[in-house]
Amino acid sequence: MKNSQVSRRRFLNIAAITAAGIAVSKKVTFGMPAYIRDLKKPHSVFKGVQIGVITYSFRSMPSSAEQLLQYCCECGVSAVELMGDAAEAFAGAPVAPPRPQRGSTEGQGAWKAHLQALADWRQKVPMTRFEQLRKLYNDAGVSIYAYKPSALGANNTDAEIAYAFRAAKALGANQANVEFPTDPAQTKRLGELAAKHKVYVGYHGHTQQTFSMWDGAIAQSPYNAINFDMGHYVAAGFDAIEFIKAKHTHIVSMHVKDRKTKENGGANLPWGQGDTPIAEALQLMAKSHVKFPATIELEYQVPEGSDAVKEVAKCVEFARKALGA
């Protein structure tokens, strides 16, 4: 509660500065890279490349929709891939009970009842609160380009999937993202429903990614697309630059992290310390005038004395320098 109150005060302080249009001189706000001197609006488009962040990056901190916006403002990020929990809580979704531990029967009944209540809520919820959330973010200078709710799985109903696409549109996103399904029938199902709503499904992969992994899904629907993770791709032993050059027309967003190659152990490391060609990829994006954003996904261990906001700000600064902005 204490952390939440502190975060709320910090958010209100930033909102007040934003509303008043007060420019900060040489001193910068906590967590911001030194080159940002104006808190009126965050800005993370460098040489035409949109640098965004998935809000999963802030999982170690209090994470209401308002707090996530605060973090974006603090680290200068002007676009996000928004995870579903915060948006749904903002919109009034049923509160989840503690999730049962894997392999345990304790709490399973309450969890199943919650999933049913959530499915019913998703089917009926008006989009008003999602539109309000979009306005809240946009007024602060942050766009929402992707939405990632837990509503696109094989066990979710068609009504829940339709909800995911409607909510994505209400938030201003052109894509609803999900982990890549193992069953081609599910990518066909999602692709067909996505086409009805004209919202892309961005399929995300981990180290199971291969050069041809998405080809079958893309053939099924023009709204099946790639949420590429270049760090995981490198850790799987492949060339991310080659993939981007060949598949860029089907990529709707790209997760960026720095991992060692498979041969070097695959570790997640601070940007610039791994084997992932982040700078080269961003420069290729600028040169090729691609339209998809590069999404910071913070997965390396946050150093002692730092926090996720400070580390995301370092990633933004890395991208700015890599692009010569």
Side-chain angles (χ1 to χ4, degrees), residues 83-85 88 115 118-119 121-123 125 130 147-168 176-179 186 189-190 193 201:
M83 297 293 288
D85 289 352
E88 291 185 329
L115 292 180
L118 184 60
W121 177 85
R122 285 168 169 168
Q123 184 173 349
V125 62
F130 292 95
Y147 183 48
K148 192 171 185 179
S150 60
L152 297 167
N155 293 327
N156 294 111
T157 65
D158 284 0
E160 287 183 277
I161 294 168
Y163 145 81
F165 296 134
R166 289 188 295 113
N177 295 342
V178 66
E179 300 302 312
Q186 179 65 0
R189 176 192 181 208
L190 291 175
L193 289 167
V201 187

Side-chain angles (χ1 to χ4, degrees), residues 14-90:
I14 286 179
I17 292 171
T18 301
I22 298 173
V24 178
S25 59
K26 292 184 178 180
K27 290 187 178 180
V28 293
T29 300
F30 162 81
M32 279 200 172
Y35 68 91
I36 296 178
R37 295 186 174 86
D38 191 343
L39 276 181
K40 285 189 290 187
K41 294 286 175 70
H43 181 75
S44 59
V45 179
F46 309 124
K47 294 295 179 70
V49 179
Q50 174 70 72
I51 305 299
V53 65
I54 183 169
T55 56
Y56 170 78
S57 299
F58 304 116
R59 62 195 176 279
S60 60
M61 304 175 72
S63 296
S64 71
E66 296 92 339
Q67 288 164 330
L68 293 171
L69 175 57
Q70 165 207 336
Y71 304 150
C72 291
C73 292
E74 288 186 349
C75 59
V77 174
S78 57
V80 298
E81 177 178 349
L82 184 63
M83 297 293 288
D85 289 352
E88 291 185 329
F90 184 90

Side-chain angles (χ1 to χ4, degrees), residues 44-317:
S44 59
V45 179
F46 309 124
K47 294 295 179 70
V49 179
Q50 174 70 72
I51 305 299
V53 65
I54 183 169
T55 56
Y56 170 78
S57 299
F58 304 116
R59 62 195 176 279
S60 60
M61 304 175 72
S63 296
S64 71
E66 296 92 339
Q67 288 164 330
L68 293 171
L69 175 57
Q70 165 207 336
Y71 304 150
C72 291
C73 292
E74 288 186 349
C75 59
V77 174
S78 57
V80 298
E81 177 178 349
L82 184 63
M83 297 293 288
D85 289 352
E88 291 185 329
F90 184 90
V95 177
R99 190 160 191 160
Q101 294 184 353
R102 185 173 295 180
S104 172
T105 58
E106 186 176 353
Q108 289 288 348
W111 185 252
K112 288 181 180 178
H114 166 70
L115 292 180
Q116 183 59 58
L118 184 60
D120 294 342
W121 177 85
R122 285 168 169 168
Q123 184 173 349
K124 300 171 184 175
V125 62
M127 292 294 106
T128 308
R129 288 289 283 171
F130 292 95
E131 292 164 355
Q132 290 172 352
L133 186 57
R134 173 185 182 176
K135 185 177 188 305
L136 178 68
Y137 273 58
N138 289 176
D139 286 351
V142 179
S143 63
I144 301 169
Y145 58 83
Y147 183 48
K148 192 171 185 179
S150 60
L152 297 167
N155 293 327
N156 294 111
T157 65
D158 284 0
E160 287 183 277
I161 294 168
Y163 145 81
F165 296 134
R166 289 188 295 113
K169 290 180 79 169
L171 290 167
N174 73 340
Q175 60 197 271
N177 295 342
V178 66
E179 300 302 312
F180 192 84
T182 56
D183 185 358
Q186 179 65 0
T187 56
K188 184 175 186 296
R189 176 192 181 208
L190 291 175
E192 290 174 350
L193 289 167
K196 292 181 180 180
H197 293 272
K198 294 183 168 48
V199 174
Y200 292 101
V201 187
Y203 295 105
H204 180 259
H206 292 259
T207 51
Q208 90 277 27
Q209 292 176 127
T210 64
F211 188 80
S212 60
M213 186 181 84
W214 289 270
D215 290 354
I218 289 169
Q220 290 173 331
S221 170
Y223 283 89
N224 278 340
I226 302 170
N227 174 223
F228 181 51
D229 192 308
M230 65 180 301
H232 290 325
Y233 194 74
V234 165
F238 300 109
D239 185 338
I241 299 299
E242 177 191 21
F243 186 91
I244 295 167
K245 287 179 178 178
K247 307 284 188 176
H248 64 91
T249 56
H250 296 293
I251 298 174
V252 287
S253 54
M254 180 178 77
H255 284 194
V256 184
K257 58 175 65 72
D258 202 350
R259 292 193 66 176
K260 289 285 190 180
T261 61
K262 185 178 182 179
E263 293 77 13
N264 291 331
N268 260 304
L269 295 170
W271 286 22
Q273 297 181 26
D275 296 322
T276 307
I278 296 175
E280 186 180 353
L282 295 176
Q283 291 160 8
L284 173 63
M285 291 171 69
K287 182 179 179 180
S288 304
H289 305 289
V290 300
K291 301 300 183 185
F292 61 85
T295 307
I296 297 165
E297 184 174 27
L298 189 69
E299 289 206 306
Y300 65 83
Q301 186 172 352
V302 174
E304 187 175 351
S306 186
D307 62 27
V309 173
K310 291 179 181 178
E311 296 307 308
V312 170
K314 292 177 185 177
C315 297
V316 175
E317 179 72 354

